């Protein structure tokens, strides 16, 4: 905890999802008071599963919530298990059980998003969260921000953190509406009860089936009670960017017609799938303006092909909290330091995630064969070490030394 010589700023966090609650938890850990404004009537998480890699697990341990999180999480024994679309032949697989902790000091987990959110919520008291507060406008008078909500109420803050997702009101206020381009890809997601899932899908494994124009990922969540599916396919004219939009199982199955019957049996066992379009946004070069800044998807929405969206929001939260704690005398400078540290990393991840779609969706042929041979040779844990080995304390120390 960092000692301060000035009055603590009033910090308002817009958004009570993973990024917003992580920011609140890390700021409280630094001795800073916060208020989280969440538009929903309760703290809950839409969506389904996620991967918590070592870079995120390390920060959950620092917050003191890793043990609680692990009560419902699944420890992955194998990851990056690439399978061929038509027959399920394994192209490559990584032994996470023996390598992950040795290389990066933490295991890799899969979990339902709600379980991660619940663990983070334990570090944010109820009186610090105001529910049913949908922000519709952010204005500034001098150094003070006025937050106006849909119910007619308002609040003031010295520091505003926009953790309000891809359609961020804070981002639109600071920098204008971010133009989105059509990616041509949509995603399906679904949960399959463990009792209805084929045995191969129940293993503590992150499997990626890759084929022409499509790929599908599955892994167990919720202590193994469910199998999470997330799949990517051509979007056609579908452009709805919403986690609450749905499709039918028949529409989901149609995208994977002709694939290994074991995979289509898994899809057939799913409940009503969600469906959303992946819209593309160029990385921002600025996140902050005076005492306001962005975090998570509001700052750097990225394609989910490296399973790092939640992890990057948690990293943002840790760095932001330390910058604000150490720079309480000049909050605008603290936020500039925060974005200066984080933007290069998240921009790189946005770019590599974007490129992965083409690689995973190659049609059968020479380029696909070369890719499969590369997957058989490379070690994703080593290749992606720049992702998993990231340590916020070391990064902050380097930033201070460079000043």
């Amino acid at each position: 905890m960092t000692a301060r010589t000035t009055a603590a700023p009033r910090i308002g966090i817009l958004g009570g999802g993973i990024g917003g609650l992580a920011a609140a938890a890390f700021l409280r850990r630094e001795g800073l008071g916060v208020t989280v404004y969440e538009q929903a009537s309760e703290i809950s998480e839409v969506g389904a599963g996620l991967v918590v890699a070592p870079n995120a697990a390390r920060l959950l341990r620092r917050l003191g919530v890793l043990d609680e999180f692990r009560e419902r999480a699944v420890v992955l024994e194998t990851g990056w298990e690439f399978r061929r679309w038509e027959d399920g032949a394994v192209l490559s697989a990584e032994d996470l059980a023996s390598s992950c902790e040795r290389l990066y000091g933490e295991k890799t987990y899969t979990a339902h998003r709600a379980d991660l959110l619940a663990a983070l919520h334990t570090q944010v008291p109820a009186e610090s969260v105001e529910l049913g507060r949908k922000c519709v406008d952010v204005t500034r008078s001098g150094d003070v921000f006025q937050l106006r909500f849909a119910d007619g109420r308002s609040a003031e803050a010295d520091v505003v953190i926009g953790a309000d997702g891809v359609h961020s009101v804070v981002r639109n206020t600071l920098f204008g509406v971010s133009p989105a381009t059509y990616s041509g890809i949509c995603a399906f997601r679904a949960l399959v009860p463990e009792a209805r899932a084929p045995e191969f899908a129940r293993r503590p494994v992150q499997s990626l089936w890759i084929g022409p124009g499509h790929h599908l990922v599955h892994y167990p969540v919720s202590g193994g009670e469910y199998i999470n599916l997330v799949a990517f396919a051509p979007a056609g004219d579908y452009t709805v960017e919403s986690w609450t939009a749905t499709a039918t199982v028949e529409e989901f199955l149609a995208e994977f017609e002709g694939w290994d019957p074991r995979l289509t049996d898994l899809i057939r066992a799913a409940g009503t799938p969600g469906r959303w379009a992946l819209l593309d946004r160029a990385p921002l070069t600025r996140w902050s303006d005076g005492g306001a800044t962005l975090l998570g998807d509001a700052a750097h929405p990225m394609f989910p092909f490296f399973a790092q969206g939640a992890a990057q929001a948690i990293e943002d939260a840790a760095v932001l909290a330390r910058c604000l704690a150490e720079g309480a005398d000049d909050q605008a400078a603290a936020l500039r330091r925060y974005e200066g540290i984080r933007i290069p990393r998240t921009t790189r991840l946005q770019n590599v995630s974007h490129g992965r779609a083409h690689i995973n969706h190659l049609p059968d042929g020479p380029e696909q064969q070369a890719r499969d041979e590369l997957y058989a040779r490379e070690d994703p844990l080593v290749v992606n070490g720049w992702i998993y080995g990231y340590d916020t304390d070391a990064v902050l120390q380097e930033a201070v030394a460079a000043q």
Side-chain angles (χ1 to χ4, degrees):
M1 189 179 298
T2 304
R4 293 184 303 276
T5 59
T6 59
R10 296 169 297 174
I11 302 174
I13 300 174
L14 295 177
I18 288 170
L21 285 189
F26 275 109
L27 286 162
R28 284 177 50 79
R29 186 174 180 270
E30 296 287 353
L32 294 167
V34 301
T35 302
V36 177
Y37 300 100
E38 166 55 38
Q39 67 176 339
S41 59
E42 62 179 354
I43 293 291
S44 62
E45 182 61 81
V46 296
L50 48 72
V51 176
V52 175
N55 55 311
R58 187 177 302 115
L59 294 175
L60 297 183
R61 184 181 297 280
R62 186 180 303 168
L63 279 177
V65 302
L66 185 61
D67 287 343
E68 178 162 348
F69 168 72
R70 293 196 306 190
E71 291 178 5
R72 295 281 291 166
V74 175
V75 178
L76 282 184
E77 293 181 2
T78 304
W80 301 102
E81 182 188 74
F82 287 100
R83 288 176 172 264
R84 180 164 167 75
W85 67 278
E86 63 181 352
D87 57 10
V90 176
L91 305 173
S92 67
E94 295 305 314
D95 181 359
L96 301 185
S98 63
S99 300
C100 204
E101 199 166 11
R102 172 177 54 81
L103 288 170
Y104 304 116
E106 294 289 352
K107 296 179 173 66
T108 293
Y109 304 88
T110 55
H112 195 288
R113 299 179 70 90
D115 294 329
L116 174 56
L117 195 70
L120 292 169
H121 201 190
T122 63
Q123 301 302 302
V124 184
E127 59 268 25
S128 295
V129 180
E130 297 193 15
L131 300 172
R133 303 293 291 271
K134 180 180 180 180
C135 185
V136 294
D137 191 35
V138 179
T139 58
R140 178 166 44 195
S141 177
D143 293 331
V144 176
F145 291 89
Q146 190 83 12
L147 311 177
R148 188 165 60 86
F149 302 98
D151 61 5
R153 292 183 291 177
S154 62
E156 290 186 346
D158 304 306
V159 175
V160 172
I161 300 169
D164 47 346
V166 69
H167 300 295
S168 171
V169 170
V170 180
R171 183 190 63 229
N172 293 347
T173 298
L174 295 180
F175 306 113
V177 177
S178 297
T181 57
Y182 179 61
S183 73
I185 302 171
C186 73
F188 293 85
R189 68 173 187 278
L191 289 171
V192 177
E194 181 267 348
R196 297 175 58 188
E199 185 175 353
F200 77 88
R202 302 178 192 176
R203 301 169 301 143
V205 174
Q206 172 208 25
S207 295
L208 301 92
W209 297 66
I210 53 178
H214 300 68
H215 81 276
L216 184 147
V217 184
H218 61 76
Y219 47 76
V221 297
S222 302
E225 292 180 16
Y226 294 94
I227 310 304
N228 181 69
L229 308 184
V230 58
F232 304 92
D237 59 0
Y238 189 81
T239 59
V240 178
E241 187 184 34
S242 170
W243 279 64
T244 59
T246 60
T248 65
V249 172
E250 289 71 27
E251 288 172 321
F252 194 174
L253 276 170
E255 292 294 343
F256 291 88
E257 183 178 0
W259 286 51
D260 188 308
R262 291 174 296 174
L263 187 65
T264 52
D265 285 347
L266 179 63
I267 294 172
R268 195 171 285 110
T272 301
R275 186 187 187 194
W276 76 100
L278 299 185
L279 300 187
D280 202 8
R281 291 175 174 83
L284 295 174
T285 57
R286 291 178 59 209
W287 295 352
S288 306
D289 186 3
T293 196
L294 305 175
L295 180 149
D297 283 349
H300 45 74
M302 60 185 67
F303 287 176
F305 302 142
F306 275 81
Q308 278 286 310
Q312 292 309 301
I314 296 170
E315 287 184 7
D316 288 347
V319 173
L320 174 61
R322 184 64 60 83
C323 288
L324 277 174
E326 295 180 351
D329 294 339
D330 189 342
Q331 294 144 23
L335 297 184
R336 289 195 298 272
R337 181 183 175 209
Y338 153 69
E339 71 172 28
I341 292 170
R342 293 296 299 158
I343 285 177
R345 175 167 169 81
T346 58
T347 296
R348 182 179 179 187
L349 262 165
Q350 283 179 278
N351 289 333
V352 298
S353 296
H354 186 281
R356 196 81 185 197
H358 170 72
I359 296 171
N360 283 348
H361 295 177
L362 290 172
D364 285 352
E367 194 175 3
Q368 162 262 322
Q369 292 168 8
R371 176 205 63 195
D372 293 353
E373 291 172 2
L374 176 62
Y375 280 1
R377 293 196 308 270
E378 73 176 12
D379 181 343
L381 278 179
V382 174
V383 171
N384 298 321
W386 64 277
I387 301 176
Y388 307 134
Y390 185 86
D391 186 292
T392 55
D393 281 345
V395 169
L396 286 160
Q397 289 169 6
E398 290 174 7
V400 171
Q403 289 180 332

